[in-house]
Amino acid sequence: EFRRVLFRSAALVRHLAAQRCQVSYLAVDAGAALVLTSAQAVSETPGVRCRRLVADLDALDGFADFVEAQGADVNILCAFGILPNTDPHTFVGRIAGWAGPADWVVLSANLYDPSHDESALGTILPQYDNAETRHWLATFFTELDWPVRGSDLRFSLDTRSTPARIQAHLTLSEAVNVTLSERSIAVPAGSQFDVFFSNRFLSGEVPEFVARHGLAVVDSAMTAERVEAVWVCQRRGADE
């Protein structure tokens, strides 16, 4: 049962509340809409105190002190859907620093598994390299009145690093100007932009990856499709 609820924080909260645990839930995200959606998902769970925090996750330097000040016996720090689109080294190091010796860190990540499908990344790539995604990514530039079309984007796979990364790049075909704070900046033709990336782990890479940041995996769960997994971690040495 516990493994089945790991993939969504709201399901985990409801599970803990059903076990008669005293639960206080803090929804944290960079956007107000996402915070409200997360909080709403647990708002009707009996006995759960819910609070909201809109914050830049890369700027929460005092968050460890904030967590400690809540006075909870155990904190469960859930990071769902973050590792695919952030620097995983920086973020895992940061969340490990927020966790106390008795706390738990729950991380989700997208996967690829060559042993299951030798062309795993090649099969995944069309999920990103398609007309709808190209149009969505190009919208940022078209709203600036830049002559960019979805077909101008180039997708690539980088399997040399951990995790592997799917990336979208743009090379300007002609010079443009952008105005920032009433200042016009010339952007020459040939300028290159990294527009998008999505990280993909091999499932076996994660325990070693989080260990570099002081965490130890104590349990995990994987979807039947083997494209997403969740790892439950504690600070290394916490059980000693």
Side-chain angles (χ1 to χ4, degrees):
E1 173 67 22
F2 184 63
R3 290 187 177 190
R4 289 208 304 267
V5 304
L6 281 177
F7 286 90
R8 296 293 179 266
S9 55
L12 180 57
V13 167
R14 288 192 290 268
H15 174 77
L16 293 172
Q19 304 305 310
R20 301 183 182 275
C21 296
Q22 186 175 352
V23 180
S24 178
Y25 180 69
L26 175 64
V28 185
D29 213 302
L34 293 172
V35 168
L36 289 173
T37 298
S38 179
Q40 185 176 13
V42 303
S43 61
E44 297 182 2
T45 306
V48 174
R49 178 189 178 197
C50 182
R51 290 175 296 166
R52 305 165 182 85
L53 176 63
V54 178
D56 182 351
L57 296 176
D58 290 330
L60 287 176
D61 293 333
F63 194 61
D65 295 334
F66 175 83
V67 171
E68 185 177 0
Q70 305 312 300
D73 293 333
V74 177
N75 296 292
I76 304 176
L77 305 175
C78 300
F80 297 116
I82 295 178
L83 291 186
N85 304 116
T86 191
D87 179 348
H89 298 275
T90 299
F91 183 77
V92 173
R94 189 177 294 272
I95 198 171
W98 296 338
D103 296 340
W104 302 83
V105 175
V106 184
L107 301 168
S108 76
N110 293 340
L111 303 176
Y112 76 103
D113 187 355
S115 66
H116 180 67
D117 180 355
E118 291 183 358
S119 61
L121 280 174
T123 303
I124 292 167
L125 186 58
Q127 298 176 24
Y128 301 90
D129 187 2
N130 55 65
E132 292 81 3
T133 302
R134 286 175 173 273
H135 174 75
W136 171 61
L137 293 174
T139 299
F140 172 80
F141 299 98
T142 57
E143 289 180 349
L144 293 174
D145 292 326
W146 289 17
V148 173
R149 298 171 299 176
S151 58
D152 295 329
L153 296 165
R154 295 292 177 265
F155 284 80
S156 64
L157 303 174
D158 182 0
T159 59
R160 297 168 298 176
S161 60
T162 300
R165 177 170 287 190
I166 297 171
Q167 303 175 94
H169 311 274
L170 172 68
T171 301
L172 286 181
S173 59
E174 58 185 89
V176 297
N177 287 290
V178 60
T179 301
L180 297 174
S181 301
E182 300 182 351
R183 178 187 174 192
S184 181
I185 301 174
V187 184
S191 296
Q192 296 184 347
F193 296 87
D194 295 330
V195 182
F196 170 85
F197 68 84
S198 180
N199 298 313
R200 292 269 176 170
F201 282 89
L202 292 170
S203 60
E205 293 174 335
V206 174
E208 181 180 351
F209 183 86
V210 300
R212 299 175 198 164
H213 302 284
L215 296 175
V217 173
V218 297
D219 204 352
S220 63
M222 185 182 299
T223 61
E225 298 81 9
R226 303 168 67 91
V227 295
E228 184 182 6
V230 171
W231 292 266
V232 181
C233 311
Q234 278 194 299
R235 280 173 46 177
R236 296 181 68 180
D239 58 348
E240 296 178 357

